């Protein structure tokens, strides 16, 4: 950690949208999934990591491809590989994901799409997906391994669930791919600075530094508040209000990537701090 942590930039999605999820792309981008609560519409923005400058603004899948993504269908951020991010839709009346659209944020275009497939896992060799079908009235899944950059089928696995599960056990997590550290919770009996007393806490320790978030009941017992702090050698060097009066605790709303802290404040503001 440097002597004086400095806030690099901040980003707020437009139209009062909630900042739902972020992921990192090569070489130096972060993609934000923004969601409008009243309509469940989603749009995506890409920012430069060093400056926060927008290189992709309010991208929506409906505007780019229309059908078969229904206008009323909610989409989400599935994963990221290399310089692409991937959007999913949902099965009808179900939380299960359906469809994969690979987006190049610099070109603001869909590079490839497979609306009939669903993401399973990232592998060293590619992306494991399945297409849903039925045989004799029973549901079945047919698995494929795709090239992440082109969407071309590398290997057809078919209905071999045993092999598909074996491949899934070799999967790469988003944290590995994007080189990020996510928060954990203290083990019973483990003492973490700033996490004692009322409420419950999360923390990330890395390279001699510590970042904590403590969640406490809001003022008057309404909602939840959260405070984020950065420490070096036991001394607090950074502090901010992560959330105030939210209906549910804002858990897992911060991460570290290298020496940079990213956190979502009040559910609609992304802040970058170099620690």
């Amino acid at each position: 950690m440097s002597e004086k942590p400095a806030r690099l930039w901040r980003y707020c999605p437009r139209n009062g949208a909630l900042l739902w999820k972020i992921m990192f792309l090569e070489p130096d981008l972060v993609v934000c999934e923004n969601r409008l609560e009243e309509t469940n519409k989603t749009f995506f923005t890409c920012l430069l990591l060093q400056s926060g400058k927008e290189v992709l603004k309010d991208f929506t899948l409906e505007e780019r491809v229309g059908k078969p993504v229904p206008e009323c269908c909610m989409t989400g951020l599935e994963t990221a590989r290399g310089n692409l991010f991937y959007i999913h839709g949902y099965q009808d009346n179900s939380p299960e994901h359906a469809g994969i659209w690979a987006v190049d944020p610099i070109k603001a275009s869909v590079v490839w799409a497979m609306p009939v497939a669903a993401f399973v896992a990232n592998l060293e060799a590619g992306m494991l997906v399945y297409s849903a079908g039925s045989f004799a009235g029973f549901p079945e899944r047919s698995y494929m391994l795709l090239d992440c950059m082109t969407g071309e089928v590398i290997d057809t696995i078919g209905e071999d669930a045993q092999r598909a599960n074996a491949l899934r056990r070799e999967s790469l997590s988003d944290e590995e791919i994007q080189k990020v550290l996510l928060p954990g919770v203290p083990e019973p009996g483990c003492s973490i600075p700033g996490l004692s007393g009322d409420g419950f806490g999360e923390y990330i320790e890395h390279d001699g530094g510590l970042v904590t978030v403590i969640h406490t009941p809001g003022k008057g017992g309404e909602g939840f508040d959260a405070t984020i702090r950065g420490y070096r050698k036991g001394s607090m060097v950074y502090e901010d209000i992560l959330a105030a009066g939210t209906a549910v605790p804002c858990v897992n709303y911060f991460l570290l990537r290298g020496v940079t802290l990213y956190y979502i404040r009040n559910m609609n503001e992304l802040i970058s701090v170099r620690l």
Side-chain angles (χ1 to χ4, degrees), residues 219-238:
K219 293 181 180 178
E222 295 184 4
F224 296 88
D225 295 343
T227 301
I228 187 167
R229 297 183 177 98
Y231 294 86
R232 180 175 62 246
K233 297 180 180 179
S235 298
M236 187 174 67
V237 294
Y238 184 81

Side-chain angles (χ1 to χ4, degrees), residues 7-28:
R7 185 174 294 179
L8 298 176
W9 49 261
R10 58 188 287 273
Y11 160 74
C12 291
R14 279 163 284 279
N15 302 319
L18 298 182
L19 212 167
W20 206 256
K21 186 184 295 184
I22 65 172
M23 288 189 177
F24 296 87
L25 288 72
E26 296 176 0
D28 59 354

Side-chain angles (χ1 to χ4, degrees), residues 4 11 19 31 65 78 83 115 133 167 189 221:
K4 293 182 179 180
Y11 160 74
L19 212 167
V31 57
V65 302
E78 184 74 79
N83 65 336
L167 289 171

Side-chain angles (χ1 to χ4, degrees), residues 197-233:
D198 295 336
F200 66 97
E202 308 169 86
Y203 75 102
I204 304 174
E205 278 187 295
H206 176 63
D207 196 24
L210 171 69
V211 180
T212 68
V213 168
I214 187 164
H215 304 268
T216 56
K219 293 181 180 178
E222 295 184 4
F224 296 88
D225 295 343
T227 301
I228 187 167
R229 297 183 177 98
Y231 294 86
R232 180 175 62 246
K233 297 180 180 179

Side-chain angles (χ1 to χ4, degrees), residues 73-172:
C73 179
M74 186 168 63
T75 58
L77 188 58
E78 184 74 79
T79 189
R81 293 288 294 269
N83 65 336
L84 303 179
F85 68 90
Y86 302 82
I87 297 173
H88 67 81
Y90 290 90
Q91 296 180 18
D92 291 339
N93 303 312
S94 170
E96 293 289 327
H97 295 181
I100 304 170
W101 289 264
V103 179
D104 183 330
I106 302 302
K107 297 179 180 178
S109 64
V110 175
V111 176
W112 61 265
M114 192 170 283
V116 299
F119 174 83
V120 177
N122 281 310
L123 305 174
E124 286 281 2
M127 181 182 290
L128 182 64
V129 306
Y130 75 88
S131 59
S134 63
F135 179 76
F138 294 96
E140 64 180 12
R141 293 182 173 186
S142 180
Y143 294 89
M144 297 168 284
L145 189 63
L146 305 182
D147 183 299
C148 298
M149 299 295 107
T150 66
E152 295 179 1
V153 177
I154 300 172
D155 191 1
T156 301
I157 299 161
E159 288 76 42
D160 189 346
Q162 185 174 1
R163 184 179 172 215
N165 287 332
L167 289 171
R168 189 185 312 203
R169 288 192 290 271
E170 300 173 3
S171 64
L172 304 172

